[in-house]
Structure formats: C-alpha cells, structure tokens
Amino acid sequence: MNDNTRYDIITIGAGHAGCEAALAGARMGCKVMMTAINIDRIAHMPCNPSIGGIGKGQLVREVDALGGEMGRNIDATLVQIKTLNGSKGPAVQALRAQADKRQYSRLMKAKILAEPKIGLRQGEVVAIERAGEEELQVRTADGATFTAKCVIVATGTFLKGEMVIGEIKRPGGRAGESASSFVSGALQRLGLELGRFQSATPPRIWAGSIDATRMIAQPGDVGPLAFSFAGAGRRGRRQKDCYLTYTNKKTHKVIADNLHLSPIKSGSVSAKGPRYCPSIDRKVINFPDRDRHPVFVEPEGWENEELYLQGLTTSMPITVQEKIIRSVEGLEQARIMRPGYAVAYDFVLPHQLKNTLESNAVPGLFAAGQINGTSGYEEAAAQGLIAGINAALKCLGKEPLIVERSQAYIGVLIDDLVTKEIDEPYRMFTSRAEYRLVLRSDNADIRLTPIGHRLGLISDGQMEKTRKKRRGTDECLAKLKATSVRTLDLPGIAVVVAASPAVLKAIDLLRRPEVTIDTLAKIARLGKITKESRHQAEIETKYEGYIKRQLDQIAAQKRLEGVRLPSVDYARIEALSMEARQKLARIKPQSLGQAARIAGVTPADISILMVAIRSKTPAGGEN
C-alpha cells in the first residue's frame, strides 16, 4: 500500500470537531487525512453565527490553553465581542463573540491547508472496517480506500440526516449539503449502539428589510477582549451591533393558529431536541401565559447581508415562518433569505466511549462532536481536540490524556458524556461544573497550558508568558501581604472602614467587597505587575475561602478517582443493587469516582465496590 493511502489518523468530517482533531494530530507529528462531504464548508456555522457564551466561553479558552485553534480563529474574524455576566462573580463570567461566519470558515480552511502533515479530501465515507488487529480502513463513495491506526468520526448532524420544513422531508446534514448515508451502518456493524436526536435553526432574513430604529441596539464591549491567551484584544476595534426585539400576542396567535402544521405536533420530527434551545412553537406550547419572548437579531458577517433571528427557531412551513417574523416589532417588512428547518440525525450513545473518546469496543476508533450527543460548536471543538490528542498519543505509543472534571470544563463535558445517560442534546453550562470557582475563564492558561506545552501544542514563548503571569500573581499577593495601609488614606471608602483599625494590611483590605485592586495599586506599588496578574491576585484574595473549600473537595474526589476499576463482573457482586449492577455493566466506569457519578449508583454501592476491590472478590483484578 503506498504512502497516499496509509495514514496515522483519519478524521471523518471537517466541522469544528474535525478541524481541532486534525490540527492537533498533525501538530503532534502524525500524518493525517481529513475527509469531508464538502471541503468548501470547513468549520461552517450552520446555526448561531457566534462563539462562546456562559459555559461555552470557558470551553473555548480551555481549547486555546491546550493549543487548539478556535480561540485564535474567532479573535481574527469576529464582528462583535462582549463579556457576559460582567456584573456577577468571576466563576460565571464568559466571553461571547459574533463571527463573520464566512471569514471564520475560510481562515480555518487556510490553517488546515497550511499544515504539511494534513491531507484534505472531499468525498463521502461509505465504510469503516477493521484492517487487522491494529488498523482501520476507510472507504469513500468514489472507491478510494485509506488505512490508519486511528479513525476519528466527527460527522456532526450528517449521519442519516433528514431535514424537515413543515411536512416536507428530505435527506440532508444541513442546508445545502447531503446527508451521510452509510457511516451509521458501518458503526453498527462495528458493534456501536446509535440513538437519534434533532436540532433546528431559525430563518435568516435580509438585513436591508428590518427597521433597526424600532429595536434595542446591543453593542459589543469597547475593551480589549480576546479568547486566545496568545494575543491581546484590540481596544476600539470596529464592531457591528446586534438588536433586541420581542415576540408579542399577535406572534403567539399566529403560532397557535398554525400549531397543527408544526413538525413537533404533526410528528414529522419525533427525535428528542435540545431542551435549552427550544423552537418558538415549543415556547408557545410550554409557556402559554408568557406575553413575549426575546428575539436577538444578529449579523452573520461584515459583507453577509443575512441576519440570524435567535429566539425564532422553527421548522414550520415557510408561509407560517413569514407571518411569525412579520408580527415582530421591527421585522414587519422582513424578507426571508433562508427558511428555518429541523434536522434529525443519528448519534453514538457516548457511554460506549472512554474518557479519551476512544471506543470501548473498537480500539483506534474515536468519536467527537455532535455525533456524541452534544450541541454547539464549542463542545464539538473541545471533544475534537481531546480526540485528536489521544489518537496522536496512541499512534506515538504514549499514555493517553484524560482531563479530569476538577481540571477543566472539558473534563466535565467528557465525564458527563461517558458517565451519564444522555437523553437530549448536551449543552455546557457553568452549573454543570461543581468546581467552577476554580475552573474560571481567566485562569484556563494557568491550569492547562503546561499540558499543551508538554504535548507540543504550545510554544515555548507562550509557556513562558503563562509562567510570567503566575509569577506576577504571586508577586502581587506578596506585595499586598507586606504593605500596610492607613484606612483614612483611602478616599471614598473611609466611612465603610471607619470601625476598622487605623492600619490594615493591603490584602485584608482587598478582601472587602468595596475595595478593588486598582484602589490599592499605587499604595502597594503594583505598577510593573500586569493587569492579568493583578486580576488573578484580586480573585484569589476575595474568594480565598471558597477556593480553598473547592480545592479540599477536589482532593477528596481525587482519592476516589485514584481507585481504578479493573475488569469487573458486576453481576457476580450480589450485594450491589440490581440497578447499580446494570448501570455499571453498561457504562463500564474507569474509576471509583466515575462510578459514584452514575445515576442509580448509591453511596452504599460504592462502599461495596471498595470492599470487593480490596478483597479481590468476584470484582476481579487489583486496585
């Protein structure tokens, strides 16, 4: 077999997961083939033209800290950026940027083509088969065959994809693209169990047909914001406004009068959809007493004349979509350029995967992105990066990377997927991370950049920048601890601290909610310390008690994570509850900590497992 058909890694799909997987594999030294049904739609954004958000923004920064591409790509192609939850605590603050979706796709394709170890090929994959004990073979519809040590399936919503508008159904993975008709069968023949989900998207309208004066402008932030730790954001950069308007009683009447035409009522779409991004028809059904729902009118690029109507997701007939849109203030003359639609697709039940995203049943086969039952570009990119890293490590004969939930939102995402039963498309939220005060957006580089550097995905220069940030934080804390401050010398807060001692350490003052690091900057002589390091010091000081409590919880959890579960015949441990035996046998947790997070496994079951492992009873194997 010649060099043009044999690779280390093959990625199937060129969305956000496929791109991160291919780039990570190639940058770690592996020869990669990337296949896609349409190579002109690399890293395309078929739904919301944005990156980031609450929980999602944390994922993007973690992808960047590990050496992924999404953060840098959106920084270079955004049309608006802002900090969400800016008035709340640092644990729930996150960046969100509107993208120029065409520029984003073009730039990502350019980065793929610039990697000498990546080969890009258009074609539909029709077969994935074992090729001996240590290789897999991929065949495309045009008859080409490729062999690799690892295959990463990152097919998004394309597996037996079926698009729905009203009563009209047709095959398709997303607007303008055909479905992947054969990969589902290939995965089932390899022994994987599949489920079916659905997603949907709102109509796009012509920007020249709205009346922005009747809506509320939503500008971006003027500060220098950026997702990537490698570059600084630009202050005063040109941005586009988004706009806010609302549905009304007239809108809801149009929907109510036509609910019989909605696919969710008629049964045209029966697969489970995302709970946290419901269609407007679902909102009207579920919230009959609500007078209005928000609609965010969002640009899709600098030169793109289409606007995305966040909040008006629907797959009702086009004539009804038009009536819905034109009932909304500011959209009375709106002209649809692309109708909204739903897409149903197959996915792999993710409990069949390891925390590395490799299949339990098929060595060398990985899955990443919406094929694992997730929703969102950010969740896909995070999975793609981890799958690409672990596929490369496998090819290189090295130990896999397992990101723990105490280390990163990425760890929370993957652990939830492989441990919990996914009955709807999974979406990341800060509330899913029990250690979210430790896993902040601002410290993702300190947490994860050393790992990316060790893998060869982070440059020496970027690693030194991260070390400098940590050294600056420690220096700032030391100065605050060493500096004494006369409380009367602090203008504007003297009344608040009037009952305090005449002299306090600066760090004790900083613990007060009304005192900021900027207030103490001159007094403690922090001039040479960077703004980033000061910000870290302020957070660590103000939330010291809470952070310590979470670190103690993490240490306790790590003791459970350190108890590895060998190959276990759970059916023979009669003291376990029947539900626990069934769930443990199905999910096959890799550690006692992971077993404890499975729904239906009780603390009593965990105690029984610990005894079984330590006594080498029918659990079998060693601790």
Side-chain angles (χ1 to χ4, degrees), residues 13 23 33 52 69 81 92 117 122 162 183 229 244 275 315 332 388 436 492 510 518 531 551 581 604 620 622:
L23 287 167
M33 165 63 78
E69 198 62 43
I81 188 168
V92 296
K117 287 186 173 292
Q122 182 164 295
E162 186 176 55
V183 171
F229 292 99
L244 171 63
R275 178 201 308 252
S315 55
E332 292 88 350
R436 55 186 170 273
L510 187 57
D518 293 335
K531 184 177 181 180
L551 291 174
R581 278 182 268 174
E622 301 281 347

Side-chain angles (χ1 to χ4, degrees), residues 55 59 158 187 209 265 317 333 372 442 476 505 547 565 577 599:
L59 284 174
F158 280 71
L187 295 175
S209 65
K265 275 291 190 179
Q333 303 301 318
N372 290 341
D442 60 86
C476 186
K505 291 295 184 183
I547 291 173
L565 287 178
S577 69

Side-chain angles (χ1 to χ4, degrees), residues 97-355:
Q98 294 297 132
D100 185 312
K101 60 190 293 183
R102 293 175 184 170
Q103 285 186 15
Y104 187 98
S105 177
R106 285 196 297 266
L107 182 57
M108 189 67 82
K109 183 177 181 180
K111 290 176 179 177
I112 294 290
L113 293 173
E115 285 294 333
K117 287 186 173 292
I118 297 179
L120 179 61
R121 184 172 181 124
Q122 182 164 295
E124 180 185 358
V125 170
V126 297
I128 308 169
E129 300 166 331
R130 299 177 193 267
E133 293 185 3
E134 297 185 352
E135 290 188 320
L136 292 164
Q137 182 174 276
V138 170
R139 183 160 42 86
T140 60
D142 56 11
T145 301
F146 306 97
T147 304
K149 296 176 184 177
C150 295
V151 172
I152 302 171
V153 186
T155 47
T157 60
F158 280 71
L159 294 191
K160 289 190 176 178
E162 186 176 55
M163 294 175 54
V164 180
I165 302 176
E167 292 296 319
I168 301 172
K169 289 185 179 182
R170 59 184 177 83
R174 60 192 179 201
E177 295 185 74
S178 59
S180 175
S181 303
F182 301 97
V183 171
S184 291
L187 295 175
Q188 288 173 320
R189 286 190 291 275
L190 288 169
L192 275 70
E193 183 183 356
L194 304 184
R196 197 154 177 87
F197 278 159
Q198 65 96 0
S199 184
T201 188
R204 270 63 160 190
I205 61 172
W206 178 43
S209 65
I210 71 166
D211 184 354
T213 64
R214 303 188 63 203
M215 297 183 279
I216 304 167
Q218 304 280 297
D221 292 346
V222 297
L225 300 177
F227 278 97
S228 179
F229 292 99
R234 300 197 299 274
R235 181 179 293 277
R237 69 189 298 171
R238 185 168 62 110
Q239 298 190 52
K240 270 192 172 185
D241 286 348
C242 296
Y243 295 93
L244 171 63
T245 183
Y246 293 89
T247 62
N248 51 56
K249 292 181 179 179
K250 181 180 178 182
T251 311
H252 299 178
K253 185 176 187 307
V254 170
I255 294 167
D257 289 347
N258 290 278
L259 271 179
H260 61 287
L261 300 175
S262 170
I264 64 176
K265 275 291 190 179
S266 67
S268 297
V269 175
S270 56
K272 193 71 178 287
R275 178 201 308 252
Y276 301 103
C277 189
S279 65
I280 186 61
D281 19 332
R282 174 66 69 186
K283 290 177 189 176
V284 170
I285 294 170
N286 291 349
F287 306 102
D289 298 329
R290 191 77 66 85
D291 289 333
R292 65 179 191 172
H293 296 282
V295 178
F296 291 92
V297 182
E298 301 175 337
E300 295 206 326
W302 290 111
E303 298 177 2
N304 189 332
E305 288 297 314
E306 296 175 57
L307 297 174
Y308 178 93
L309 300 179
Q310 184 185 166
L312 284 186
T313 294
T314 183
S315 55
M316 295 181 82
I318 294 174
T319 53
V320 179
Q321 292 188 31
E322 188 172 71
K323 291 177 182 178
I324 292 171
I325 293 169
R326 291 188 172 182
S327 68
V328 176
E329 187 171 4
L331 305 180
E332 292 88 350
Q333 303 301 318
R335 288 163 48 183
I336 293 177
M337 295 183 73
R338 301 175 199 254
Y341 63 90
V343 57
Y345 55 94
D346 288 348
F347 74 99
V348 171
L349 298 177
H351 72 268
Q352 301 167 100
L353 305 175
K354 302 175 184 178
N355 284 71

